[in-house]
Amino acid sequence: MSSPGTSTETLSPEPRLLLTVDAPSLLHRNHHARVDSGLRDQGGRPAWALHGMLRQILEVIDQFAPDAVVFGLDDRTASVRTETYPAYKAGRRPKDPTLVDQLERASALLDALGLLTVTPAGLEADDVSASAATWAEASGWSCVIVTSDRDSFAHISERTRVLRLINGGINGSPLLNPARLRTLYGIAAEHYLEYAALRGDTSDNLPGVPGIGEKSAPVLLSQMGSMQSVWADIDHCEGANLVAALDSYCEEEGLRRLGPGLLKRLTAPGARERFEFNLSLMSGRTDLDLGLTPDVPGTPGLLPLDADRVARVVGHLGVPSTTDLALRVLTEPPASVGG
């Protein structure tokens, strides 16, 4: 019997949480941040990037208590995007051989722990993140994407947040939801991909629509709602509503007129084609089979993990404090299971 004043209503349980990790972005970041440590595993192989990535993920798991963890990896042997656009990511400096070694060993390390890795043929870790967010939405789960890149911002929703690891570690990194993304970029989460396609991405060697950048793109999208509306207005009334909406906004904000100039740039030869091409190349695949079966005990990626495996695999890195942390956060039931 409940005590006086105590509600007898059953509270709805929190949705289970899927943590999806952009492993290559974290390995790159930790390689550059920790190379001076010269850390090697017990076999004498370079391990600073692997250890740094794992340490960060253990701290994230400790903070968020996920029910499952999946790591996305790039296919290092083939690229559908490079086949489509040979200049994709061209111009980047060759990777340090010690980083390449650790990128190639990441899957074996994580699989040996009992975590789940997905290396989609011809695709990238961001495609795994996109599919994980879609899977979580369809399954009634929440999702947190861990990355150091901006690509995953396109997947932010009411169920999916992005923890962008930057300087300052876990506690100093922003956890982005739709409201915070709008505060930072002035756009709705569902329009981030269109914003990125307009702006372009220099790191991937993708130029944006000429004359439209990080300041004008959010204004365009906030006033017109979507690029579909923009193109429809241009097609049906030569952009008259676009110009009127932008000029009205500028008048209210005390800014110089933007409408005619943006219309001219959007209707310039190749502008729409550039936007559509960027959109197609930047879009993450949402239909990958992650192999996650949460109702089957022992499925890779489900927490908790086997303590002996954790001690053996993490212990091979030769950092006792990380082994202790791994045993604590990986071998105990997550909060949503353990109550």
Side-chain angles (χ1 to χ4, degrees), residues 5-207:
T6 300
S7 173
T8 58
E9 293 182 4
T10 302
L11 297 176
S12 299
E14 287 291 322
R16 288 194 280 182
L17 176 62
L18 174 63
L19 191 72
T20 179
V21 182
D22 179 353
S25 77
L26 268 63
L27 286 164
H28 279 81
R29 189 169 187 83
N30 278 284
H31 169 71
H32 296 296
R34 299 171 182 262
V35 63
D36 290 343
S37 73
L39 178 70
R40 292 182 176 267
D41 62 23
Q42 293 184 347
R45 301 184 71 175
W48 54 84
L50 289 168
H51 172 258
M53 176 192 69
L54 182 60
R55 182 82 193 195
Q56 286 188 318
I57 294 308
L58 291 174
E59 292 171 359
V60 173
I61 292 172
D62 194 25
Q63 178 175 331
F64 288 93
D67 298 271
V69 185
V70 57
F71 288 78
L73 294 159
D74 298 340
D75 184 349
R76 295 179 48 77
T77 64
S79 169
V80 170
R81 291 178 175 90
T82 300
E83 291 174 3
T84 302
Y85 178 53
Y88 183 64
K89 296 187 177 181
R92 294 187 177 185
R93 289 183 298 176
K95 292 182 177 65
D96 187 310
T98 59
L99 171 59
V100 172
D101 178 74
Q102 293 174 86
L103 285 166
E104 292 177 345
R105 290 158 51 208
S107 179
L109 170 72
L110 297 166
D111 288 341
L113 273 172
L115 296 169
L116 176 63
T117 64
V118 179
T119 307
L123 299 173
E124 304 171 9
D126 192 53
D127 295 293
V128 179
S129 297
S131 291
T134 301
W135 181 93
E137 182 81 29
S139 303
W141 287 42
S142 294
C143 181
V144 171
I145 300 172
V146 185
T147 181
S148 63
D149 294 336
R150 295 185 295 180
D151 297 341
S152 291
F153 292 0
H155 315 316
I156 291 174
S157 70
E158 293 303 322
R159 283 192 176 270
T160 298
R161 296 167 290 170
V162 171
L163 179 65
R164 188 186 184 199
L165 295 185
I166 53 176
N167 296 334
I170 302 302
N171 293 330
S173 297
L175 180 64
L176 302 177
N177 59 15
R180 193 161 189 189
L181 184 73
R182 183 185 286 275
T183 298
L184 288 175
Y185 290 92
I187 52 172
E190 59 267 27
H191 296 143
Y192 181 83
L193 186 60
E194 293 183 321
Y195 161 78
L198 286 167
R199 178 201 63 203
D201 189 337
T202 55
S203 67
D204 288 343
N205 201 32
L206 283 171

